[in-house]
Coordinates of all heavy atoms in Angstrom, one line a residue:
E158 N 23.0 -19.7 2.9 CA 23.2 -19.9 4.4 C 21.9 -20.1 5.2 O 21.7 -19.6 6.3 CB 23.9 -18.6 4.9 CG 25.3 -18.5 4.4 CD 26.2 -17.4 5.1 OE1 25.7 -16.8 6.1 OE2 27.3 -17.1 4.6
L159 N 21.0 -20.8 4.5 CA 19.8 -21.3 5.2 C 20.0 -22.7 5.6 O 20.2 -23.6 4.8 CB 18.6 -21.2 4.3 CG 18.2 -19.7 3.9 CD1 17.2 -19.7 2.7 CD2 17.7 -19.0 5.1
L160 N 20.1 -22.9 6.9 CA 20.6 -24.2 7.5 C 19.6 -25.0 8.1 O 19.9 -26.1 8.7 CB 21.7 -23.8 8.5 CG 22.7 -22.8 8.1 CD1 23.7 -22.5 9.3 CD2 23.5 -23.2 6.9
G161 N 18.3 -24.6 8.0 CA 17.2 -25.4 8.6 C 17.1 -25.2 10.1 O 16.3 -25.9 10.7
E162 N 17.8 -24.3 10.6 CA 17.7 -24.1 12.1 C 16.5 -23.4 12.6 O 16.2 -23.4 13.8 CB 19.0 -23.3 12.6 CG 18.9 -21.8 12.4 CD 19.3 -21.3 11.0 OE1 19.4 -22.2 10.1 OE2 19.4 -20.1 10.9
T163 N 15.7 -22.8 11.7 CA 14.5 -22.1 12.0 C 13.3 -22.6 11.3 O 13.4 -22.8 10.1 CB 14.7 -20.6 11.8 OG1 15.8 -20.1 12.5 CG2 13.4 -19.8 12.2
A164 N 12.2 -22.7 11.9 CA 10.9 -23.1 11.3 C 10.2 -21.8 10.9 O 9.7 -21.1 11.8 CB 10.1 -24.0 12.1
Y165 N 10.1 -21.4 9.7 CA 9.5 -20.2 9.2 C 8.0 -20.4 8.9 O 7.6 -21.4 8.4 CB 10.2 -19.7 8.0 CG 11.7 -19.4 8.1 CD1 12.6 -20.2 7.5 CD2 12.1 -18.3 8.9 CE1 14.0 -19.9 7.7 CE2 13.4 -18.0 9.0 CZ 14.4 -18.8 8.4 OH 15.7 -18.6 8.6
A166 N 7.3 -19.3 9.1 CA 5.9 -19.3 8.7 C 5.8 -19.4 7.2 O 6.7 -18.9 6.4 CB 5.2 -18.0 9.1
F167 N 4.8 -20.1 6.7 CA 4.6 -20.2 5.2 C 3.1 -20.2 4.9 O 2.3 -20.4 5.8 CB 5.2 -21.5 4.7 CG 4.6 -22.8 5.1 CD1 3.6 -23.4 4.2 CD2 4.9 -23.4 6.3 CE1 3.0 -24.6 4.6 CE2 4.2 -24.6 6.7 CZ 3.3 -25.2 5.8
R168 N 2.8 -19.9 3.6 CA 1.4 -19.9 3.2 C 1.3 -20.2 1.7 O 2.3 -20.1 1.0 CB 0.8 -18.5 3.5 CG 1.4 -17.4 2.6 CD 0.9 -16.0 2.9 NE 1.4 -15.0 2.0 CZ 1.3 -13.7 2.2 NH1 0.6 -13.2 3.2 NH2 1.8 -12.9 1.3
V169 N 0.2 -20.7 1.3 CA -0.1 -20.8 -0.1 C -1.1 -19.7 -0.5 O -2.1 -19.5 0.1 CB -0.7 -22.2 -0.5 CG1 -1.2 -22.2 -1.9 CG2 0.3 -23.3 -0.2
R170 N -0.6 -18.9 -1.5 CA -1.4 -17.7 -1.9 C -2.1 -18.0 -3.2 O -1.5 -18.3 -4.2 CB -0.4 -16.5 -2.0 CG -1.1 -15.2 -2.3 CD -0.1 -14.0 -2.0 NE 1.3 -14.3 -2.2 CZ 1.9 -14.0 -3.4 NH1 1.2 -13.4 -4.4 NH2 3.2 -14.3 -3.5
D171 N -3.5 -17.9 -3.2 CA -4.3 -18.1 -4.3 C -4.2 -16.9 -5.3 O -4.4 -15.8 -4.9 CB -5.8 -18.3 -3.9 CG -6.7 -18.6 -5.0 OD1 -6.2 -18.8 -6.1 OD2 -7.9 -18.6 -4.8
R172 N -3.8 -17.2 -6.5 CA -3.7 -16.2 -7.6 C -4.7 -16.5 -8.7 O -4.5 -15.9 -9.8 CB -2.3 -16.0 -8.0 CG -1.3 -15.7 -6.9 CD 0.1 -15.4 -7.5 NE 0.6 -16.4 -8.3 CZ 1.6 -16.2 -9.2 NH1 2.1 -15.0 -9.4 NH2 2.0 -17.2 -10.0
S173 N -5.6 -17.3 -8.5 CA -6.5 -17.8 -9.6 C -7.4 -16.6 -10.2 O -7.8 -16.7 -11.3 CB -7.4 -18.9 -9.1 OG -8.2 -18.5 -8.0
S174 N -7.6 -15.6 -9.4 CA -8.4 -14.5 -9.9 C -7.8 -13.7 -11.0 O -8.5 -13.1 -11.8 CB -8.7 -13.5 -8.7 OG -7.5 -12.9 -8.3
V175 N -6.5 -13.9 -11.2 CA -5.8 -13.3 -12.3 C -5.2 -14.3 -13.2 O -4.4 -14.0 -14.1 CB -4.6 -12.3 -11.8 CG1 -5.2 -11.1 -11.2 CG2 -3.7 -13.1 -10.9
G176 N -5.7 -15.6 -13.0 CA -5.3 -16.6 -14.0 C -3.9 -17.2 -13.7 O -3.4 -17.9 -14.6
Y177 N -3.3 -17.0 -12.6 CA -2.0 -17.5 -12.3 C -2.0 -18.7 -11.3 O -3.0 -18.8 -10.6 CB -1.1 -16.4 -11.6 CG -0.8 -15.2 -12.5 CD1 -0.4 -14.0 -12.0 CD2 -0.8 -15.3 -13.9 CE1 -0.1 -12.9 -12.8 CE2 -0.5 -14.3 -14.8 CZ -0.2 -13.0 -14.2 OH 0.1 -12.0 -15.0
C178 N -1.0 -19.4 -11.3 CA -0.9 -20.6 -10.4 C -0.7 -20.1 -9.0 O -0.3 -18.9 -8.7 CB 0.3 -21.5 -10.8 SG 1.9 -20.7 -10.6
P179 N -0.9 -20.9 -8.0 CA -0.6 -20.5 -6.6 C 0.8 -20.2 -6.3 O 1.7 -20.7 -7.0 CB -1.1 -21.7 -5.8 CG -1.9 -22.6 -6.7 CD -1.4 -22.3 -8.0
A180 N 1.0 -19.3 -5.3 CA 2.4 -19.0 -4.9 C 2.6 -19.5 -3.5 O 1.8 -19.4 -2.6 CB 2.6 -17.5 -4.9
L181 N 3.7 -20.2 -3.3 CA 4.1 -20.7 -2.0 C 5.1 -19.7 -1.4 O 6.2 -19.5 -1.9 CB 4.8 -22.1 -2.1 CG 5.6 -22.6 -0.9 CD1 4.7 -22.7 0.4 CD2 6.3 -23.9 -1.2
D182 N 4.7 -19.0 -0.3 CA 5.5 -18.0 0.3 C 6.1 -18.5 1.6 O 5.3 -19.0 2.5 CB 4.7 -16.7 0.6 CG 4.1 -16.1 -0.6 OD1 4.7 -16.2 -1.7 OD2 3.0 -15.4 -0.5
I183 N 7.4 -18.4 1.7 CA 8.1 -18.8 3.0 C 8.7 -17.6 3.6 O 9.6 -17.0 3.0 CB 9.1 -19.9 2.7 CG1 8.5 -21.1 2.0 CG2 9.7 -20.4 4.0 CD1 9.5 -22.1 1.5
D184 N 8.2 -17.2 4.8 CA 8.6 -15.9 5.4 C 9.9 -16.0 6.1 O 9.9 -16.0 7.4 CB 7.4 -15.5 6.3 CG 7.6 -14.1 6.8 OD1 8.2 -13.3 6.1 OD2 7.0 -13.7 7.8
Y185 N 11.0 -16.0 5.4 CA 12.3 -16.3 6.0 C 13.1 -15.0 6.4 O 14.2 -15.1 7.0 CB 13.1 -17.2 5.1 CG 13.8 -16.4 4.0 CD1 15.2 -16.3 4.0 CD2 13.1 -15.9 2.9 CE1 15.9 -15.7 2.9 CE2 13.8 -15.3 1.9 CZ 15.1 -15.2 1.9 OH 15.8 -14.5 0.9
L186 N 12.5 -13.8 6.1 CA 13.3 -12.6 6.4 C 12.6 -11.6 7.4 O 13.1 -11.3 8.4 CB 13.6 -11.8 5.1 CG 14.7 -12.4 4.2 CD1 14.8 -11.5 2.9 CD2 16.0 -12.4 4.9
Q187 N 11.4 -11.2 7.1 CA 10.8 -10.1 7.8 C 9.7 -10.4 8.8 O 9.3 -9.5 9.5 CB 10.2 -9.1 6.7 CG 11.2 -8.6 5.7 CD 12.3 -7.8 6.3 OE1 12.1 -7.1 7.3 NE2 13.4 -7.8 5.6
N188 N 9.3 -11.6 8.8 CA 8.2 -12.0 9.7 C 6.8 -11.3 9.4 O 6.0 -11.2 10.3 CB 8.5 -11.7 11.2 CG 9.7 -12.6 11.7 OD1 9.8 -13.7 11.3 ND2 10.6 -12.0 12.4
D189 N 6.7 -10.8 8.2 CA 5.4 -10.2 7.8 C 5.1 -10.5 6.3 O 4.2 -9.8 5.8 CB 5.5 -8.6 8.0 CG 6.6 -8.0 7.2 OD1 7.3 -8.7 6.4 OD2 6.8 -6.7 7.3
F190 N 5.8 -11.4 5.8 CA 5.6 -11.8 4.4 C 5.9 -10.7 3.4 O 5.4 -10.7 2.3 CB 4.2 -12.4 4.1 CG 4.0 -13.8 4.7 CD1 3.4 -13.9 6.0 CD2 4.5 -14.9 4.1 CE1 3.2 -15.2 6.5 CE2 4.3 -16.2 4.6 CZ 3.7 -16.3 5.8
S191 N 6.6 -9.7 3.8 CA 6.9 -8.6 2.8 C 8.0 -9.0 1.9 O 8.1 -8.4 0.8 CB 7.3 -7.3 3.6 OG 8.5 -7.5 4.4

Side-chain angles (χ1 to χ4, degrees):
E158 295 189 6
L159 295 170
L160 314 177
E162 80 280 7
T163 301
Y165 299 109
F167 70 95
R168 68 185 182 189
V169 172
R170 185 160 37 94
D171 182 7
R172 304 190 302 161
S173 60
S174 62
V175 291
Y177 293 158
C178 69
L181 166 59
D182 297 333
I183 305 173
D184 190 24
Y185 80 111
L186 283 179
Q187 303 296 333
N188 297 319
D189 60 3
F190 287 100
S191 61

